[in-house]
Amino acid sequence: MTRVVRFYEYGAANVLRIEDIEVPAPAADEVQISVKAIGLNRAEVMFRNGAYLQKANFPSQLGYEAAGTVTTVGGDVTGFSKGDAVSVIPTLDMSRWPTYGELINIPARYVVKHPKHLSFVKAAAAWMMYVTAWGALIDQAKLTADDFVIVSAASSSVGIASFQIARIVGATVIATTRTSAKAQALLDAGAHHVIATEEEDLALRVNEITAGKGARVVFDPIGGPAIAQFAEVMSVGGILLEYGALSPDAGVFPQFAVLGKSLTLKGYLYTEVVSDDAALNRAKAFIVDGLESGKLDPLVSRTFPFDQIQDATRFLESNEQVGKVVVTL
């Protein structure tokens, strides 16, 4: 029997239960992994609350990220052997291939042998944030050293990952956050500039930082009224990639800014990368190289033991962290 996390109804963190189940042998295209660490994501919170793109089929498991060692490989799998240290790239279906458990089966295309120097904790924290940020900033926005990029809700794991990826190509990072409480932590994490949007004038500060040029790229998980605010501080030909909907409020479409500056506003999901073999291979190469060199270094805010999965999830939801929350086994 293997301990896994399941839930039987939508709700707060207390609906999560640790239960013993039988995990089957891996399918022909799967790798079975003994899990050492699990990275937590807001997508899993939304899934547990019934607010995600995917609906649960109860009792449901969940989880997108993990790291551990290979125990068994399916009959059609090559390139992996028992004992390999590996980490998991988020799949397209967390209920079918969940990661919150001691033993998991994951399709081999979503499994990576991570650099030997990388701890299981950091390996479990890497893939959702780096794949998400790489797909938006590098693959779609074509970020360069000449660009200013605004990263909003910047204390999230994806926000921190965006700083590191932008720095690899030499772009200038403008992080936005509601208050100045996390400003120094964001600067320490790699942002070149921080704007506290409840305390400072966004347009004035962006104009000062960019010498009137504006930001060509905006990477935003907030949505709502923020979209129009960011559109006003973008440069001609800029692109705003919207990867979330943290704001519960509707926003006005910024038609004059969009028309006057020929802006692109695009909804973006990490699935655009992981569902495309060519894009996924490019992402793997970029991220593994960055992890090997140390230019990509997952920032872990706090770790919790597996038995405290409810507390770990509550901490993630509190928005107190800068970086990733990881559960260890």
Side-chain angles (χ1 to χ4, degrees), residues 185-201:
L186 294 174
L187 291 170
D188 293 343
H192 294 93
H193 306 275
V194 177
I195 301 174
T197 56
E198 292 183 357
E199 302 171 11
E200 302 175 87
D201 186 304

Side-chain angles (χ1 to χ4, degrees), residues 83-298:
D84 284 344
V86 296
S87 42
V88 176
I89 296 171
T91 68
L92 294 173
D93 187 341
M94 78 168 90
S95 64
R96 181 176 178 184
W97 297 294
T99 61
Y100 285 23
E102 294 176 325
L103 194 67
I104 60 175
N105 293 323
I106 304 291
R109 76 186 297 269
Y110 301 108
V111 180
V112 180
K113 286 191 272 190
H114 56 251
K116 294 185 184 301
H117 73 271
L118 202 65
S119 69
F120 286 119
V121 167
K122 288 199 172 187
W127 287 95
M128 174 63 92
M129 64 182 185
Y130 287 133
V131 166
T132 301
W134 175 88
L137 300 183
I138 304 301
D139 205 46
Q140 298 200 14
K142 313 298 182 189
L143 194 68
T144 71
D146 295 327
D147 290 326
F148 291 90
V149 53
I150 294 175
V151 178
S152 66
S155 61
S156 70
S157 58
V158 174
I160 303 303
S162 300
F163 301 173
Q164 296 178 6
I165 286 175
R167 280 183 172 270
I168 287 177
V169 299
T172 300
V173 178
I174 303 171
T176 70
T177 184
R178 290 187 298 111
T179 73
S180 57
K182 296 179 181 178
Q184 189 57 53
L186 294 174
L187 291 170
D188 293 343
H192 294 93
H193 306 275
V194 177
I195 301 174
T197 56
E198 292 183 357
E199 302 171 11
E200 302 175 87
D201 186 304
L202 177 69
L204 179 62
R205 290 283 286 120
V206 172
N207 189 63
E208 290 173 348
I209 292 166
T210 66
K213 180 181 177 181
R216 188 182 72 81
V217 180
V218 175
F219 191 35
D220 175 56
I222 302 171
I227 293 177
Q229 295 166 5
F230 288 129
E232 293 297 330
V233 300
M234 293 173 67
S235 65
V236 173
I239 180 170
L240 184 152
L241 291 134
E242 189 65 36
Y243 72 101
L246 296 177
S247 173
D249 302 319
V252 176
F253 179 72
Q255 61 189 37
F256 294 112
V258 170
L259 288 169
K261 293 189 274 189
S262 299
L263 302 180
T264 297
L265 307 183
K266 183 185 182 300
Y268 165 74
L269 297 171
Y270 83 95
T271 54
E272 296 177 47
V273 177
V274 300
S275 62
D276 181 301
D277 286 340
L280 182 57
N281 287 335
R282 293 195 301 273
K284 287 179 181 178
F286 183 99
I287 294 165
V288 169
D289 181 70
L291 293 171
E292 287 276 12
S293 68
K295 292 179 180 178
L296 297 181
D297 183 16

